[in-house]
Amino acid sequence: MKKVALLATALAMVTTGSAFAADLRVKALKAPPPPAFDPWDIAFGGAVMSDYIFRGITQSNHKPSVSAYFEPRFNVNKDLQLYVGVAGESISFPNRAAAEIDIYGGIRPTFGAFAFDIGVWGYLYPGGTCYYGAPTDTAGNPLSAQCAANALLNGNVMKKDVSFFEVYGKVNYTINDNWSVGLNEYYTPSFLNSGAWGDYVSITAKWTAPSTTFGSSGVGMYVSGEFGRQFLGTSDSFYGTGIAAPGFAGPFPNGIKYADYNTWNIGIGFTYKVFTLDLRYSDTDLSKANCNAFTSDYTAVANGSFSSINPTGVGSNWCGAAGIAKLSFDLTAMTNLK
């Protein structure tokens, strides 16, 4: 009987202990806090290209060019980014400017499939020399001693400082994983400091190949193109002309009305990690004569290229068909440097 009593007591203690344990609250492990949102990021990169083409016109005399950029960004939230940046490109201008230095900034709001970009872009060309070859322009306005002392052999002229700025607005619409289209507009009150206003409008389209196109290699591919029109106003008297010639509507001592023109490009690109190889064809509908009047090309030659604004017969190849190969790399600190 003693044994039975002891067994009953032990069973009661075990049962009571189990019930008590069941009543205890089990402490859940605390989830780690989400990483703090860091709104700051920095994008940077560089490129080497066989030709620096800007809106269909070479900026490097159809020679190779290098470029680089640095762009701090502040993400207010996932749908709004503020940014500033500086970039540089090697060029070959008639005034022999040292380089193109770009300073820019703006905002990039996103609304669903629509991505906007609104800002101001400054193009600076330090180190230039004035080329004119006379003490006054065609309107009789006095020029500097430097302008009078320097002249281009083909008779073209260019200011020492051709720096200018543009305001711009862009929107890109992502249709699906493969297709996107865009609309862009840039305006300046004085294109290349010529006194002529400029307004550039373009449409773009891009097809991105499925990520499985090249298997698991990590190589991506896209095809993209752009069609744009550059509208231009009348230059100041520095670029005016007093020459009379057959088929020429002048003289225009107070400035010439630059020819508006169309430009287009199409190309294919291959991406791998942070690298992009872009192969592109570019062209415009500017004649050699109107191209010369607009660019003041120092390599242009007399070849019978006359137009209503180009009385000298000097023609330029800077606005014609061109093929461009560009190898670039692009990184962001938050994505690539963590």
Side-chain angles (χ1 to χ4, degrees):
M1 286 296 292
K2 282 183 181 180
K3 285 182 181 179
V4 173
L6 285 172
L7 181 61
T9 304
L11 285 172
M13 289 176 68
V14 170
T15 306
T16 304
S18 298
F20 179 72
D23 288 340
L24 287 176
R25 290 185 180 178
V26 178
K27 267 192 178 178
L29 290 174
K30 225 177 189 182
F37 173 67
D38 187 353
W40 290 100
D41 201 357
I42 297 173
F44 59 96
V48 57
M49 46 200 151
S50 61
D51 196 350
Y52 174 22
I53 300 289
F54 179 72
R55 297 177 192 167
I57 300 174
T58 181
Q59 310 292 288
S60 59
N61 187 27
H62 291 308
K63 298 293 196 306
S65 173
V66 294
S67 68
Y69 72 94
F70 179 80
E71 185 183 294
R73 298 169 173 175
F74 181 80
N75 298 296
V76 179
N77 54 50
K78 68 181 182 64
D79 295 319
L80 180 61
Q81 182 182 90
L82 312 179
Y83 65 94
V84 295
V86 60
E89 295 84 14
S90 60
I91 60 172
S92 184
F93 272 21
N95 69 352
R96 315 314 294 158
E100 177 184 314
I101 305 298
D102 305 321
I103 299 175
Y104 59 93
I107 61 172
R108 294 180 178 130
T110 301
F111 301 95
F114 291 91
F116 293 85
D117 190 351
I118 303 161
V120 179
W121 197 291
Y123 305 82
L124 309 178
Y125 303 96
T129 299
C130 181
Y131 285 88
Y132 198 91
T136 64
D137 64 22
T138 52
N141 298 310
L143 300 174
S144 69
Q146 185 185 80
C147 294
N150 297 286
L152 296 173
L153 295 178
N154 58 15
N156 282 335
V157 300
M158 196 170 204
K159 293 178 179 178
K160 172 181 175 153
D161 183 13
V162 293
S163 303
F164 71 108
F165 75 92
E166 291 181 313
V167 293
Y168 59 88
K170 302 186 284 186
V171 59
N172 191 77
Y173 176 68
T174 300
I175 300 171
N176 53 39
D177 289 342
N178 303 110
W179 285 98
S180 64
V181 293
L183 177 65
N184 315 293
E185 182 168 13
Y186 295 75
Y187 174 81
T188 176
S190 182
F191 193 92
L192 282 172
N193 194 29
S194 64
W197 59 266
D199 187 34
Y200 179 70
V201 182
S202 75
I203 54 174
T204 61
K206 183 177 182 180
W207 175 77
T208 302
S211 58
T212 55
T213 300
F214 295 97
S216 59
S217 66
V219 175
M221 185 186 78
Y222 64 83
V223 177
S224 64
E226 178 183 24
F227 180 85
R229 183 163 180 82
Q230 178 73 66
F231 299 92
L232 294 160
T234 300
S235 75
D236 57 33
S237 60
F238 184 94
Y239 294 101
T241 178
I243 300 173
F248 181 61
F252 300 110
N254 294 313
I256 57 174
K257 166 63 176 74
Y258 290 129
D260 302 335
Y261 69 93
N262 297 321
T263 179
W264 54 92
N265 67 75
I266 188 168
I268 184 171
F270 300 91
T271 61
Y272 180 71
K273 295 185 177 178
V274 301
F275 298 99
T276 301
L277 174 63
D278 189 279
L279 306 173
R280 192 156 299 274
Y281 167 82
S282 173
D283 205 352
T284 78
D285 63 356
L286 270 173
S287 67
K288 293 181 185 298
N290 288 337
C291 179
N292 180 66
F294 181 48
T295 64
S296 297
D297 176 4
Y298 67 95
T299 69
V301 296
N303 55 10
S305 298
F306 293 97
S307 75
S308 61
I309 58 172
N310 190 71
T312 62
V314 174
S316 171
N317 292 318
W318 280 9
C319 310
I324 312 106
K326 179 179 179 180
L327 179 62
S328 61
F329 68 93
D330 302 275
L331 303 93
T332 62
M334 294 297 290
T335 302
N336 304 105
L337 301 183
K338 276 192 165 185

